């Protein structure tokens, strides 16, 4: 599925995003499987709560980390999250 | 002994809790031990709650509740609730037999994350024959209810010679039931499956045909259904990386509290697996002889010892090495470099001739009666 930049992104109800104390990282859990996330992937996916589109995620993270030019990296990660079924895109009403 | 510089001990990620050996079904490929009827002294609720807490502290995050049939445990909702509160991702691995909508909803409330339903075959007669129970309609209904209650729906079909010709129908059934995941698990030949191998092991041609069909659907269903295809290791030239390496990732607790580095390890003589009634999970994982026995590479013999591939497959499966060679430190005989590879080739040939002649021993079903008579034959070892 192609990334629709105007959509809102929400985390898939069939997956769980969780902090793992023992591993000191966020992981995605799903039936009999687990993906270990690096810091930036986790920061992006945490914002996929159904209230933000791509622009909003980019600007929030650029503000938070006091940097610019994150758009390409973020849309790349969202695309692969979408392909893996971790997130869904909801068209804006 | 623990955590040498070369091989630091990692923490467990997966806890498989075999809650009971009781099961209303009788699958002739069941991986439970042949003498399961001997091991009656089941852990109680408090034992399991303690095990879950201790393993979670060690870092386990995936929890499989299996058996036998875990649904026969009356305390299942209590166990699920506790596990979920601890932060486990809780998987119920069930035959689905007699699972009704009230129970499915109750378990959801308790925090169950996912239900994996196994179906023996895509049509009634064969399913019921293989399960030894009239269960086909019930299982399909359960699959629908699982979906309806918002669980990810995982359908599991164990593949062998009695159903491999129905690969297309199996895949169509998964599509019809709108499975999110389909696990096509080629039989692993341990326990009852090993006993029935001549009747269960497909020929190479059958495997290749079935695999091609599964691959085709995999492409077609991309993005809709994830298909896991567990390869049949007898037809490979290298062994599977069994358990991702001994004592690195997986911890199985048997119904009677025995802690196993792999769910077949009970069959290894002299391993002296510890019991959760006597030891904490921490001590079991870090300090027991059984969990340290095949960690790392120091235990290996040739050809594994000097093999560059040992970091990938860890010499394969210890239980398979023992089953074929009588030596649990041998290379997995599936490996083309193993001097015992011919034993696997023989097993394949035996199964083929039983297939071609249409003769051979009838299937032995997994039930208490057969288990008892097999146990007495195995002696009191
Ligand atoms: S494989 Fe069949 S007989 Fe064995 S525990 Fe599972 S459902 Fe029961
Ligand atoms: S010789 Fe041993 S380590 Fe090498 S590939 Fe075979 S099983 Fe693996």
């Amino acid at each position: 599925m192609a990334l629709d930049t105007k959509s809102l992104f929400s985390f898939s109800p069939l997956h769980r995003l969780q902090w793992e104390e023992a591993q000191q990282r966020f992981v995605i859990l799903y039936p009999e499987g687990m993906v270990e996330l690096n810091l930036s992937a986790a920061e992006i996916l945490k914002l996929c709560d159904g209230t933000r589109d791509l622009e909003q995620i980019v600007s929030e993270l650029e503000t938070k980390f006091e940097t610019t030019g994150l758009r390409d990296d973020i849309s790349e990660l969202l695309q692969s999250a979408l392909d893996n079924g971790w997130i869904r895109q909801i068209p804006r009403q | 002994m623990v955590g040498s510089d070369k091989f630091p001990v990692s923490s467990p990620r997966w806890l498989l809790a075999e809650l009971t050996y009781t099961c209303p079904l009788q699958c002739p490929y069941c991986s439970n031990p042949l003498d399961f009827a001997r091991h009656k002294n089941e852990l109680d609720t408090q034992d399991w709650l303690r095990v879950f807490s201790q393993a979670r502290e060690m870092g386990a995050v995936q929890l499989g509740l299996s058996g036998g049939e875990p649904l026969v445990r009356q305390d299942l909702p209590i166990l699920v609730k506790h596990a979920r509160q601890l932060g486990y991702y809780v998987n119920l691995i069930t035959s689905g037999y007699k699972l009704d909508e009230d129970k499915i909803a109750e378990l959801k409330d308790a925090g169950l994350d996912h239900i994996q339903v196994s179906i023996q075959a895509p049509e009634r007669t064969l399913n019921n024959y293989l399960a030894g129970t009239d269960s086909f309609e019930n299982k399909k209904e359960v699959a629908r209810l699982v979906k309806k209650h918002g669980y990810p729906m995982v359908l599991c079909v164990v593949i062998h010679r009695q159903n491999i010709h129905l690969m297309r129908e199996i895949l169509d059934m998964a599509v019809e039931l709108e499975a999110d995941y389909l696990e096509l698990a080629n039989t692993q030949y341990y326990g009852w499956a090993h006993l029935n191998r001549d009747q269960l092991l497909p020929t190479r041609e059958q495997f290749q045909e079935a695999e091609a069909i599964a691959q085709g659907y995999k492409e077609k269903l991309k993005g809709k259904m994830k298909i896991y295809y567990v390869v049949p290791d007898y037809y490979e030239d290298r062994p599977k990386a069994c358990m991702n390496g001994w004592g690195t990732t997986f911890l199985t607790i048997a119904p009677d509290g025995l802690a196993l580095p792999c769910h077949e390890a009970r069959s290894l003589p002299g391993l002296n697996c510890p019991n959760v009634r006597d030891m904490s999970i921490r001590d079991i994982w870090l300090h027991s002889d059984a969990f340290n026995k095949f960690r790392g590479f120091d235990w290996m013999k040739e050809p594994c010892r000097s093999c560059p591939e040992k970091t990938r497959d860890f010499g394969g499966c210890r239980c398979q090495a023992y089953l074929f060679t009588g030596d649990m430190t041998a290379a997995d005989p599936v490996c083309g470099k193993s001097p015992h590879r011919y034993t696997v080739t023989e097993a394949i040939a035996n199964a083929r001739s039983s297939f071609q002649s249409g003769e051979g021993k009838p299937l032995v079903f997994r039930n208490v009666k057969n288990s008892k008579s097999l146990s007495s034959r195995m002696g009191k070892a």
Side-chain angles (χ1 to χ4, degrees):
Chain A
M1 201 188 297
L3 201 68
D4 171 14
T5 55
K6 295 277 170 289
S7 282
L8 302 173
F9 295 101
S10 72
F11 204 74
S12 149
L14 301 184
H15 295 73
R16 173 135 58 95
L17 179 67
Q18 175 170 306
W19 170 255
E20 276 298 286
E21 192 61 32
Q23 303 180 47
Q24 289 294 306
R25 64 166 97 224
F26 278 92
V27 298
I28 295 176
L29 299 164
Y30 52 94
E32 294 175 54
M34 172 168 72
V35 176
E36 300 173 356
L37 297 174
N38 62 29
L39 214 61
S40 53
E43 289 293 340
I44 298 166
L45 293 173
K46 274 193 287 181
L47 296 183
C48 297
D49 62 355
T51 68
R52 297 174 176 86
D53 64 13
L54 177 66
E55 291 317 322
Q56 288 163 305
I57 293 174
V58 171
S59 75
E60 251 179 73
L61 290 177
E62 287 183 348
T63 311
K64 181 167 178 184
F65 295 101
E66 298 176 350
T67 180
T68 54
L70 294 181
R71 193 174 195 279
D72 285 355
D73 287 347
I74 292 176
S75 54
E76 200 178 308
L77 183 108
L78 289 174
Q79 180 68 62
S80 86
L82 197 62
D83 293 341
N84 283 303
W86 303 338
I87 58 168
R88 297 181 173 181
Q89 32 190 22
I90 320 162
R92 268 185 199 279
Q93 301 300 326
Chain B
M1 179 169 63
V2 179
S4 66
D5 288 347
K6 271 192 305 185
F7 203 81
V9 176
S10 52
S11 61
R13 291 282 178 264
W14 291 71
L15 174 62
L16 181 66
E18 296 181 334
L19 297 179
T20 178
Y21 281 139
T22 303
C23 184
L25 270 54
Q26 309 183 26
C27 310
Y29 51 75
C30 183
S31 63
N32 285 166
L34 295 174
D35 63 350
F36 73 84
R38 269 209 270 218
H39 309 292
K40 288 202 200 95
N41 190 8
E42 277 186 12
L43 294 182
D44 63 22
T45 309
Q46 290 310 315
D47 290 328
W48 281 117
L49 298 180
R50 184 183 73 245
V51 165
F52 292 176
S53 300
Q54 291 178 349
R56 181 73 183 127
E57 249 168 59
M58 294 287 294
V61 57
Q62 283 282 353
L63 172 64
L65 301 172
S66 81
E69 173 50 70
L71 288 166
V72 307
R73 287 282 303 214
Q74 295 301 314
D75 54 359
L76 190 60
I78 301 173
L79 300 181
V80 167
K81 190 162 183 203
H82 181 70
R84 179 59 191 265
Q85 279 167 355
L86 291 168
Y88 280 105
Y89 190 88
V90 190
N91 307 274
L92 180 67
I93 300 159
T94 174
S95 72
Y97 186 57
K98 299 243 161 104
L99 180 56
D100 61 18
E101 187 157 12
D102 287 349
K103 193 76 176 190
I104 290 174
E106 185 190 3
L107 290 169
K108 183 93 193 170
D109 285 343
L112 185 64
D113 288 290
H114 137 241
I115 300 181
Q116 176 191 298
V117 182
S118 69
I119 297 191
Q120 279 66 16
E123 52 102 4
R124 179 182 301 116
T125 318
L126 184 59
N127 177 85
N128 293 352
Y129 167 68
L130 289 168
T133 317
D134 184 359
S135 54
F136 185 64
E137 296 306 330
N138 175 246
K139 280 165 178 283
K140 282 178 74 170
E141 180 59 17
V142 166
R144 284 188 202 101
L145 290 170
V146 163
K147 190 89 191 162
K148 176 176 159 196
H149 283 264
Y151 293 98
M153 204 264 276
V154 184
L155 207 61
C156 174
V157 183
V158 177
I159 306 295
H160 43 71
R161 207 166 75 227
Q162 313 286 329
N163 66 8
I164 196 165
H165 59 292
L166 298 172
M167 186 53 91
R168 211 174 282 284
E169 288 82 354
I170 291 169
L171 284 146
D172 288 338
M173 173 178 73
V175 172
E176 177 206 322
L177 294 171
E178 296 176 60
D180 298 295
Y181 301 80
L182 173 64
E183 199 172 308
L184 297 168
N186 276 292
T187 302
Q188 308 283 315
Y189 293 92
Y190 305 99
W192 297 79
H194 185 254
L195 184 71
N196 288 308
R197 190 174 60 195
D198 284 352
Q199 302 299 324
L200 292 177
L201 182 64
T203 64
R204 185 182 290 275
E205 296 78 11
Q206 288 176 315
F207 268 136
Q208 284 167 344
E209 198 187 327
E211 187 166 9
I213 293 171
Q215 287 302 341
Y217 273 76
K218 213 171 174 171
E219 281 304 305
K220 209 168 70 183
L221 296 172
K222 218 175 195 163
K224 289 199 196 109
M225 186 196 298
K226 281 213 174 96
I227 300 178
Y228 295 125
Y229 191 80
V230 179
V231 296
D233 59 352
Y234 281 29
Y235 289 102
E236 300 281 315
D237 190 42
R238 288 291 182 270
K240 53 187 179 277
C242 189
M243 297 291 117
N244 193 36
W246 185 273
T248 65
T249 312
F250 289 91
L251 169 63
T252 296
I253 309 296
D256 57 350
L258 217 57
L260 309 168
C262 122
H263 58 283
E264 298 304 323
R266 175 164 227 147
S267 64
L268 296 175
L271 192 63
N272 282 327
C273 287
N275 195 297
V276 299
R277 288 188 166 107
D278 314 319
M279 264 172 113
S280 70
I281 296 293
R282 187 178 184 82
D283 281 344
I284 287 172
W285 186 261
L286 295 177
H287 304 303
S288 71
D289 292 341
F291 278 77
N292 280 303
K293 184 141 181 144
F294 301 115
R295 272 194 176 126
F297 308 102
D298 291 348
W299 57 271
M300 286 181 171
K301 291 182 175 165
E302 293 300 345
C304 298
R305 182 171 273 274
S306 59
C307 177
E309 292 173 62
K310 67 183 176 189
T311 53
R312 191 193 56 81
D313 65 30
F314 315 100
C317 172
R318 297 304 86 226
C319 307
Q320 191 141 278
Y322 174 70
L323 271 176
F324 276 89
T325 73
D327 176 2
M328 55 180 125
T329 64
D332 188 325
V334 156
C335 181
K337 295 185 182 182
S338 159
H340 297 98
R341 171 68 212 190
Y342 74 93
T343 56
V344 176
T345 310
E346 267 171 22
I348 292 173
N350 289 342
R352 172 183 282 276
S353 72
S354 146
F355 170 62
Q356 282 167 343
S357 66
E359 288 161 14
K361 301 174 288 178
L363 286 173
V364 181
F365 286 85
R366 174 229 189 261
N367 55 41
V368 172
K369 186 167 152 277
N370 287 335
S371 176
K372 282 191 174 149
S373 81
L374 285 162
S375 315
S376 61
R377 255 186 275 163
M378 284 155 68
K380 292 248 175 285

